[in-house]
């Protein structure tokens, strides 16, 4: 690890209080909380098919990331001689691969592939690179973690893009059944505490998407800035109420966490769209 440690030390040789704050901000652009703000914008105001695609890809990416972290069990550089590690609250579990980097590559890779515009490419690549650099600057990941995260994120993007070519003709009931079975099977294969949350949300997002499409028929519309902003504020408030409120009410444990994230997924794809349609 000496060579990789040398890379981190070189990057940190430029450290300053201003850069500390900058990279703490940047690293949060690859956090779960940021995606909870970004994905609803697509689902509620731009394109709900794009929203469900981003949700599915990100949650499956998180599943793969947690699994690989536990299998490889590589310690983080935190505590390594000569490396300064800050904002360690953003560094849970093992080191390889970087979840922030993998998630950013997955989400922005899909966005870039969908829009194919120069400005989107510039923005997406800049965020991926900056988030990756932030994990090294903060001293919470090795360079190999960053490389692994980018490669895995890219593979997930390629799989998602190519999956779009297939048309599935199963009935709605079969799709609903699969929306439950697939996450449960993945949970049984790897019953990690984080997987309870991610698979709960994935199942609910899929179910909500199918039920909303059949019973509600919500379609994002360009209704002007004020109405769009009001819609987003209402939706985000519901997210916050479920994410924070239920955490304080429900007892600690995997089942409670799974129930909370299940409701988050259901609110994203069915609850909020139903409320928007009524309003």
């Amino acid at each position: 690890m000496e060579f990789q440690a040398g890379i981190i030390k070189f990057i940190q040789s430029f450290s300053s209080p201003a850069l500390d704050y900058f990279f703490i901000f940047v690293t949060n652009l690859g956090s779960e909380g940021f995606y909870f703000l970004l994905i609803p914008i697509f689902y509620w105001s731009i394109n709900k098919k794009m929203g469900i695609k981003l949700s599915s890809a990100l949650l499956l990416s998180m599943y793969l990331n947690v699994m690989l972290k536990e299998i490889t069990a590589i310690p983080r550089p935190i505590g390594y001689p000569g490396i300064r590690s800050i904002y360690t609250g953003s560094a849970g579990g093992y080191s390889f691969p970087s979840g922030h980097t993998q998630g950013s590559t997955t989400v922005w890779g899909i966005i870039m592939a969908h829009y194919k515009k120069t400005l989107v490419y510039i923005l997406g690549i800049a965020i991926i690179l900056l988030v990756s650099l932030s994990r090294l600057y903060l001293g919470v990941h090795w360079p190999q973690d960053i490389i692994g995260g980018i490669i895995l994120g890219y593979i997930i993007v390629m799989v998602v893009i190519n999956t779009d070519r297939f048309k599935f003709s199963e009935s709605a009931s079969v799709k609903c059944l699969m929306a439950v079975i697939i996450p449960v099977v993945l949970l049984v294969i790897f019953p990690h505490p984080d997987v309870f949350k991610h698979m709960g949300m994935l199942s609910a997002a899929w179910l909500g998407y199918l039920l909303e499409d059949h019973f509600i028929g919500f379609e994002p519309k360009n209704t002007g800035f004020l109405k769009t902003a009001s819609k987003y504020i209402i939706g985000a408030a519901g997210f916050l109420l479920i994410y924070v409120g239920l955490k304080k009410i429900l007892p600690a444990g995997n089942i409670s966490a799974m129930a909370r994230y299940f409701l988050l997924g259901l609110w994203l794809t069915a609850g909020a769209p139903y409320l928007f349609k009524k309003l």
Side-chain angles (χ1 to χ4, degrees):
M1 289 293 186
E2 275 299 321
F3 177 71
Q4 296 193 64
I7 294 175
I8 297 174
K9 291 175 184 177
F10 173 74
I11 293 171
Q12 292 187 337
S13 67
F14 300 95
S15 64
S16 68
L19 280 178
D20 288 353
Y21 286 116
F22 172 73
F23 279 115
I24 287 173
F25 168 78
V26 167
T27 211
N28 278 301
L29 297 180
S31 68
E32 179 183 273
F34 175 73
Y35 297 127
F36 281 175
L37 296 174
L38 177 66
I39 291 176
I41 293 176
F42 281 93
Y43 200 94
W44 298 337
S45 303
I46 301 175
N47 186 322
K48 67 180 184 182
K49 288 185 178 180
M50 182 65 169
I52 195 64
K53 184 190 297 184
L54 287 172
S55 303
S56 303
L58 178 63
L59 290 167
L60 290 171
S61 178
M62 288 178 172
Y63 173 85
L64 180 61
N65 185 265
V66 172
M67 178 184 285
L68 289 175
K69 273 179 162 56
E70 294 296 317
I71 291 173
T72 57
I74 297 174
R76 292 177 182 269
I78 298 172
Y80 192 92
I83 291 179
R84 182 185 70 130
S85 297
I86 60 175
Y87 201 56
T88 55
S90 67
Y94 292 108
S95 196
F96 180 87
S98 166
H100 283 66
T101 301
Q102 185 178 326
S104 295
T105 305
T106 300
V107 169
W108 288 101
I110 291 174
I111 293 173
M112 288 187 287
H114 179 80
Y115 287 102
K116 295 182 175 66
K117 293 183 178 180
T118 303
L119 286 177
V120 177
Y121 283 129
I122 293 172
L123 178 63
I125 292 172
I127 290 178
I128 292 169
L129 293 178
L130 283 171
V131 169
S132 300
L133 180 61
S134 75
R135 305 310 283 165
L136 299 175
Y137 178 90
L138 298 175
V140 293
H141 273 294
W142 300 105
Q144 67 182 18
D145 307 335
I146 304 306
I147 296 171
I150 290 175
I151 292 173
L152 287 166
Y154 178 78
I155 291 172
I156 292 168
V157 171
M158 291 299 100
V159 170
V160 170
I161 291 173
N162 285 289
T163 301
D164 283 348
R165 299 177 182 179
F166 298 98
K167 301 297 181 181
F168 300 97
S169 58
E170 288 85 355
S171 65
S173 58
V174 172
K175 289 180 180 178
C176 286
L177 187 62
M178 296 305 293
V180 175
I181 291 176
I182 292 174
V184 168
V185 169
L186 292 175
L187 178 59
V188 170
I189 292 172
F190 193 71
H192 186 275
D194 287 343
V195 174
F196 276 86
K197 297 187 295 185
H198 300 152
M199 292 304 100
M201 188 170 187
L202 180 64
S203 178
W206 283 350
L207 283 172
Y209 177 75
L210 294 168
L211 294 173
E212 181 278 316
D213 189 59
H214 186 74
F215 293 105
I216 301 172
F218 167 79
E219 287 296 337
K221 295 178 181 178
N222 184 8
T223 54
F225 175 77
L226 288 178
K227 285 188 177 181
T228 299
S230 300
K231 179 171 62 176
Y232 185 77
I233 291 171
I234 292 171
F239 246 111
L240 188 64
L241 185 63
I242 296 170
Y243 188 70
V244 178
L246 287 184
K247 189 174 183 179
K248 295 182 179 297
I249 297 173
L250 295 175
N254 292 335
I255 301 302
S256 294
M258 188 176 189
R260 185 160 57 94
Y261 274 71
F262 185 90
L263 290 175
L264 282 173
L266 208 57
W267 174 255
L268 170 68
T269 57
Y274 173 78
L275 184 59
F276 299 152
K277 190 78 180 288
K278 287 296 183 182
L279 293 177

